[in-house]
Amino acid sequence: MKTRFTPLVKLKKTAMDKSESLMQKANADLNSARAALEKSYETLDEITSPQQGNMKDFLASRELINSARAFVKHNQEWVIYAQNQVNQAKEKLKLDIIEHEKFKYLELQEIEKELKKLKIQEMKDLDEVALMTHNKKEKN
């Protein structure tokens, strides 16, 4: 049964579905960021410093370690950013679910009201038919 809230319910359902897909995408991005951070930590752990050699080797090793640390820092920032995106998507999804449920409830109330009106009308019609049948029997 269609009510005046039916289009709004469909619209809110679409918005909720969109928020759900955004939430899934944000979670996937967060998982990618965490995997990249883990990989950068592993890369940093694999770097060994030379125990002997010339200054050029020590400087190259230090530069490699600095580069790996910068990469770790970048991935940490990416994880923080991705976590914020997940939190924002979660809040939006929560609000969209509430809005959808609210309009769904209003639609249900409207349907119940219409069904009640139909039931009352049907009772009136049955009473009228019964009265007409009763009057017909009295005339005969």
Side-chain angles (χ1 to χ4, degrees), residues 23-57:
M23 179 72 178
Q24 290 172 351
K25 184 182 179 304
N27 278 328
D29 288 346
L30 179 59
N31 290 336
S32 296
R34 286 180 177 161
L37 180 60
E38 187 66 32
K39 181 78 172 147
S40 62
Y41 276 129
E42 289 172 6
T43 303
L44 183 62
D45 287 340
E46 291 173 0
I47 297 173
T48 57
S49 296
Q51 300 301 318
Q52 59 186 6
N54 58 18
M55 191 63 163
K56 186 177 179 183
D57 292 339

Side-chain angles (χ1 to χ4, degrees), residues 1 3 5-6 9 103-111:
M1 178 178 280
T3 67
F5 295 108
T6 302
V9 170
F103 283 107
K104 217 165 119 178
Y105 175 78
L106 290 172
E107 181 184 37
L108 181 63
Q109 294 297 317
E110 191 79 16
I111 288 172

